[in-house]
Amino acid sequence: MTSLSPDEWQVILLSLKVSLIAVGGTLPFAFAVAWLLARVRFPGKLLLDALVHLPLVIPPVVTGWLLLIVFGRTGPAGRFLEENFGLTLMFRWTGAALAAAVMALPLMVRAMRLSIEAVDIRLEQAARTLGASRWHAFLTIALPLSLPGVVAGAVLGFARSLGEFGATISFVSNIPGETRTIPLAIYAALQVPGQETIVARLALVSILLSFIALIASELIVRRRRAAGSFHVL
Amino acid sequence: MSFELRAEKRLGGRVVTIDHVSDARLLALFGPSGAGKTSILNMVAGLLRPERGRIAIAGETLFDSHRKIDLPPERRRVGYIFQDDRLFPHKRVRANLLYGHRLAEPANRWIGLYEVTRFLGIAHLLDRWPDTLSGGEAQRVAIGRALLAGPRLLLMDEPLSSLDAPRRSEIMTVIERIRDELRIPIVYVSHEQREIARLADDVIALGDADTPTRPTDDGVIRPSYSL
């Protein structure tokens, strides 16, 4: 196997960009949802829980189609974003990032929720009696103690984003240089005879990237003392 | 310094009540488990809201249901020593000790890190992680952490219950010295008569009897019911 071609580099860098934006953008939202589910009692909680988990169980192509309806050029959210922010999602890499984010959300919320639930509320109470406001207790106690779950969720979300195929191809199609991420490029290469080495090289890169992400998260988690142990590995 | 504890709270099927004014150096809440001792401490600390009542320390009101006063825990300056140490597992002993100290108004800090570590004999533990401490060491650090936050009143919820016998007498000595040398009033929860006999100068018996019992002249405490 020879080294990667410029086209392959483009695919890999696009994949990284899409996945990092997807995970980075979803992280605060996923943490807020995980916090709500772990700590707050409110009517409709089961409904929110189910809604967040929906992308995990419905066919990804259906998720992509729903995104097309809502965020497409004539969709309500799509039109709003285009008119007010000049932001187009359909057939753009930003749309690929949105598809990846929606698919990654349930995995991120699950990991974060588990680690928030493992933080002993009584430690935050102790912090309050020592003079910490609710917000300060959250920042200095709950957040650092649930950090392993945040890291685990981010890594799972990143890996899921790198592998996203169904929702992406039905929402933003398979456009070289714009929406052709690693799985879509592998799929395209498989359609043409004689491109087996491209398939193999990209497959190897995707395995490598996921592997590095897992190891990195494990090392981060191991360095910290926290409530419970939320290793991905 | 006197404190006023009047509170009522419905918890599950029963009603927890306290109605007591004390100028004791160490007031013991005595009674079997389930009598609501911890709930009362939580109401004083601001972790649990009473339905009715008034809680005040040295004239400053922490809670008053009539005047709609309910200070949040962080503004009550009430130190709380829990049954378990509740040290922050992700912070070393030094950072645990200084957690409340750094949050306190400088004018309210009445003891420093050096004094506390010397007083409690924990200077050699400063760089350790909480999970490497023995039960007695951890409880002393927890006491130090509460003192450093500059409290006006200390709450202790069976602070000896997770310790073995030698550690118990060690921590009991520490509590006596806090009572006598630092002169900070303590509300102390226990179901052990011997602890109370040694430490308390005022006792409230909770449970079926709600009449407070004071130590008699010979110093022996006779609560209005026995275990």
Side-chain angles (χ1 to χ4, degrees):
Chain A
M1 264 204 266
T2 52
S3 60
L4 297 161
S5 72
D7 278 358
E8 287 161 355
W9 271 115
Q10 187 190 47
V11 165
I12 293 162
L13 291 177
L14 177 70
S15 262
L16 286 173
K17 179 168 81 170
V18 164
S19 300
L20 287 173
I21 297 276
V23 170
T26 316
L27 209 57
F29 178 68
F31 189 85
V33 171
W35 185 269
L36 277 179
L37 292 176
R39 284 287 181 88
V40 187
R41 275 204 282 178
F42 57 94
K45 182 170 173 171
L46 187 64
L47 210 64
L48 176 68
D49 201 357
L51 201 66
V52 166
H53 281 87
L54 218 49
L56 208 58
V57 289
I58 60 175
V61 175
V62 173
T63 304
W65 176 70
L66 289 172
L67 287 174
L68 204 54
I69 289 175
V70 177
F71 289 96
R73 212 145 276 158
T74 54
R79 196 182 307 159
F80 175 81
L81 287 175
E82 180 140 14
E83 281 170 8
N84 292 283
F85 303 101
L87 182 68
T88 314
L89 294 173
M90 205 169 64
F91 305 131
R92 295 287 168 78
W93 72 269
T94 44
L98 176 67
V102 168
M103 297 303 293
L105 184 68
L107 289 172
M108 295 172 73
V109 169
R110 283 174 77 86
M112 293 179 195
R113 178 186 184 167
L114 278 175
S115 75
I116 292 168
E117 278 170 354
V119 175
D120 192 343
I121 284 185
R122 297 174 315 155
L123 290 176
E124 286 157 80
Q125 290 182 337
R128 297 292 301 280
T129 67
L130 290 167
S133 64
R134 210 178 274 276
W135 180 240
H136 189 78
F138 167 76
L139 285 180
T140 56
I141 309 298
L143 189 60
L145 286 176
S146 59
L147 205 63
V150 176
V151 173
V155 170
L156 286 171
F158 180 73
R160 182 69 189 78
S161 297
L162 273 182
E164 216 316 288
F165 180 80
T168 308
I169 202 164
S170 45
F171 180 36
V172 293
S173 185
N174 189 350
I175 304 163
E178 187 68 39
T179 67
R180 180 168 289 178
T181 55
I182 294 174
L184 274 64
I186 291 175
Y187 173 77
L190 281 171
Q191 307 301 304
V192 186
Q195 298 206 340
E196 288 78 11
T197 54
I198 296 180
V199 172
R201 276 203 295 265
L202 288 176
L204 200 67
V205 167
S206 68
I207 293 168
L208 212 62
L209 284 175
S210 304
F211 192 67
I212 290 169
L214 279 176
I215 299 285
S217 83
E218 186 64 17
L219 291 177
I220 293 170
V221 171
R222 272 191 201 164
R223 271 191 50 227
R224 299 199 64 91
R225 284 158 192 270
S229 51
F230 287 90
H231 305 280
V232 179
L233 295 180
Chain B
M1 183 146 81
S2 71
F3 42 97
E4 183 182 342
L5 310 176
R6 302 179 201 277
E8 190 178 313
K9 171 88 181 167
R10 192 177 299 277
L11 284 170
R14 69 210 158 81
V15 179
V16 174
T17 48
I18 185 167
D19 189 346
H20 196 74
V21 178
S22 178
D23 57 359
R25 289 180 302 159
L26 193 145
L27 166 70
L29 302 184
F30 176 73
S33 46
K37 304 188 294 292
T38 300
S39 302
I40 289 170
L41 291 193
N42 285 341
M43 287 192 268
V44 177
L47 300 175
L48 188 66
R49 188 197 305 247
E51 273 135 29
R52 260 190 299 285
R54 180 180 142 80
I55 296 165
I57 303 167
E60 197 194 324
T61 308
L62 305 182
F63 177 86
D64 191 324
S65 52
H66 285 300
R67 289 161 59 202
K68 304 253 180 279
I69 294 173
D70 184 10
L71 292 186
E74 65 267 25
R75 288 181 48 207
R76 294 195 175 201
R77 292 184 61 205
V78 169
Y80 202 151
I81 319 292
F82 301 90
Q83 238 175 78
D84 45 341
D85 54 75
R86 295 201 199 178
L87 296 179
F88 306 131
H90 60 305
K91 293 177 184 290
R92 289 178 196 265
V93 167
R94 183 192 308 273
N96 264 284
L97 286 169
L98 290 174
Y99 186 89
H101 196 62
R102 292 196 170 122
L103 290 167
E105 300 265 344
N108 292 338
R109 300 173 187 152
W110 49 261
I111 195 164
L113 182 65
Y114 176 71
E115 282 173 280
V116 158
T117 52
R118 214 178 39 165
F119 184 80
L120 297 168
I122 53 175
H124 60 295
L125 303 175
L126 285 174
D127 292 319
R128 299 259 294 270
W129 291 101
D131 60 8
T132 68
L133 303 177
S134 71
E137 288 171 340
Q139 201 55 287
R140 276 185 290 163
V141 172
I143 292 171
R145 184 176 69 171
L147 292 175
L148 278 164
R152 289 174 298 192
L153 174 74
L154 277 186
L155 308 174
M156 297 191 176
D157 187 5
E158 307 198 25
L160 310 180
S161 63
S162 59
L163 305 176
D164 54 25
R167 301 290 147 250
R168 267 172 201 242
S169 82
E170 171 195 316
I171 298 294
M172 223 176 320
T173 307
V174 167
I175 292 169
E176 283 176 322
R177 290 181 54 219
I178 292 172
R179 184 192 65 190
D180 300 338
E181 294 171 30
L182 303 180
R183 308 204 135 266
I184 172 164
I186 299 170
V187 180
Y188 187 97
V189 154
S190 181
H191 59 262
E192 287 282 340
Q193 286 211 38
R194 271 177 308 157
E195 284 174 27
I196 288 175
R198 179 169 157 189
L199 296 172
D201 53 357
D202 190 7
V203 180
I204 304 174
L206 297 162
D208 38 22
D210 60 353
T211 41
T213 312
R214 287 187 175 267
T216 49
D217 289 340
D218 55 7
V220 179
I221 290 155
R222 299 193 182 86
S224 47
Y225 80 101
S226 54
L227 287 172

